[in-house]
Amino acid sequence: MKLALISALAGSAAAFAPAATRSASTSLNAFSIDTMPEAQRAQKGWVDPADASFDQPGLLKDNYYPGDIGFDPLGLKPEDPAEFDLMVTKELQNGRLAMLAAAGFLAQEAVDGKGILEHFSS
């Protein structure tokens, strides 16, 4: 109880302390070109426009697979390219099936006016 009272008093006293001055941060300088996610994706996947020919804008690098930005914290990505293609295809088909199921839920609710949980109870 005493600890809670002391921490509450210290917290309220800190509200009246002068603010530390430091440089202002705006949304324009919040990210550098190296930390912006889309900039990292562009640097990883696309050939530098200075190195590409003028008739091939947006040329992808040879070792880049679209959508693969190297995020694999559990190490599930297969090393074999054919197996990776199969895994990507299965994931796309799974997502498409899930979208069809969600559309079916909405269509069923539009037809009879009952939500999905109401159908389970009846």
Side-chain angles (χ1 to χ4, degrees), residues 52-119:
S53 63
F54 71 93
D55 61 340
Q56 292 182 326
L59 183 65
L60 292 176
K61 292 182 179 177
D62 292 333
N63 61 351
Y64 177 68
Y65 190 91
D68 181 22
I69 56 172
F71 181 74
D72 188 22
L74 299 177
L76 299 175
K77 179 183 171 186
E79 295 295 326
D80 182 29
E83 191 175 342
F84 181 66
D85 285 341
L86 183 64
M87 185 182 215
V88 168
T89 302
K90 287 179 181 179
E91 185 66 25
L92 282 173
Q93 290 175 349
N94 183 32
R96 290 171 181 154
L97 185 62
M99 288 187 277
L100 281 174
F105 293 153
L106 295 174
Q108 183 179 14
E109 186 174 348
V111 169
D112 62 7
K114 290 183 182 179
I116 186 67
L117 296 177
E118 294 170 344
H119 280 281

